[in-house]
């Protein structure tokens, strides 16, 4: 029997993000997922190595790796649409849950229990807030790049996403923002001048 789980996951590269906005460089779910996983890993390492609190950076990265997996069925619904009405948001959350269960069922039964924590119950994990913060950070950094490239389409998204991150009051996020975010506003030549 053939199982299509990884064939579905490979389709993340076909799912465009920022569907209602003009981007200077298009971004897909696969690119966003890679960056989110790296940032989630970094946030957990910051918690562990900077703030000396126990955590599991690799597990946090894995939560981030699958955070948008349901979109292989649903696509990426733009945020203004997702929150258009409270009822629509609730309905979309139900659809996401069903999509996650459907994706889990594309794995051999022997693996489903292990993958369930990444596909179905990830939001119940104690490290989920770090993974979710990484998702928001990735969106913010995309906005920073677009604004850097002179795209006014992303100025409001830059401001609101930055405020959303600040309102989290997460020391790991604040530490990351203070030390890494500004570099996304620089060109390659400017980055090279810092070395």
């Amino acid at each position: 029997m053939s199982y299509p789980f990884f064939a579905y996951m490979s389709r993340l590269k076909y799912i465009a993000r920022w569907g209602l906005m003009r981007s200077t460089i298009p971004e897909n779910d696969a690119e966003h997922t890679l960056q989110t996983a790296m940032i989630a890993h970094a946030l957990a390492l910051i918690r562990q190595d900077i703030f000396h609190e126990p955590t599991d950076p690799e597990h946090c990265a894995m939560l981030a790796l699958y955070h948008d997996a349901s979109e292989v069925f649903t696509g990426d619904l733009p945020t203004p649409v997702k929150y258009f009405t409270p009822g629509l948001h609730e309905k979309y959350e139900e659809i996401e849950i069903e999509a996650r269960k459907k994706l889990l069922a594309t794995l051999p039964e022997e693996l489903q229990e292990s993958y369930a924590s990444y596909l179905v119950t990830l939001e119940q994990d104690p490290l989920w807030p770090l993974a979710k913060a990484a998702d928001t950070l990735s969106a913010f950094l995309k906005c920073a790049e677009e604004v850097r490239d002179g795209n006014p389409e992303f100025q409001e998204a830059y401001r609101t996403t930055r405020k959303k991150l600040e309102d989290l009051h997460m020391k790991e996020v604040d530490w990351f923002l203070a030390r890494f975010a500004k570099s996304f506003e620089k060109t390659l030549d400017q980055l090279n001048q810092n070395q």
Side-chain angles (χ1 to χ4, degrees), residues 122-148:
L122 67 169
E123 293 176 359
Q124 298 166 19
D125 193 287
L127 288 176
W128 174 248
L130 279 184
K132 185 59 183 163
D135 180 31
T136 306
L137 268 167
S138 176
F140 172 72
L141 297 174
K142 167 65 173 168
C143 294
E145 290 174 324
E146 290 287 337
V147 169
R148 176 203 65 211

Side-chain angles (χ1 to χ4, degrees), residues 31-157:
E31 294 164 329
H32 166 68
T33 294
L34 172 63
Q35 185 178 49
T36 301
M38 288 191 293
I39 294 170
H41 188 253
L43 292 178
L45 285 173
I46 291 165
R47 176 176 286 180
Q48 173 184 283
D49 298 342
I50 303 299
F51 297 109
H52 308 292
E53 296 176 12
T55 191
D56 185 343
E58 287 71 29
H59 180 67
C60 190
M62 292 303 295
L63 290 171
L65 190 65
Y66 289 105
H67 82 282
D68 276 344
S70 64
E71 292 184 5
V72 299
F73 294 123
T74 66
D76 180 43
L77 192 63
T79 299
V81 177
K82 198 181 292 186
Y83 293 93
F84 194 70
T85 67
L88 179 61
H89 180 64
E90 289 173 20
K91 184 55 73 177
Y92 185 72
E93 284 183 338
E94 291 173 24
I95 293 168
E96 273 189 321
I97 291 166
E98 291 307 311
R100 291 176 186 176
K101 290 178 184 175
K102 182 177 178 177
L103 186 59
L104 183 65
T106 67
L107 285 160
E109 193 173 321
E110 299 88 344
L111 295 176
Q112 289 182 18
E113 184 178 346
S114 293
Y115 273 92
S117 62
Y118 298 115
L119 297 175
V120 180
T121 60
L122 67 169
E123 293 176 359
Q124 298 166 19
D125 193 287
L127 288 176
W128 174 248
L130 279 184
K132 185 59 183 163
D135 180 31
T136 306
L137 268 167
S138 176
F140 172 72
L141 297 174
K142 167 65 173 168
C143 294
E145 290 174 324
E146 290 287 337
V147 169
R148 176 203 65 211
D149 292 343
N151 185 357
E153 188 87 12
F154 278 79
Q155 287 176 344
E156 183 61 24

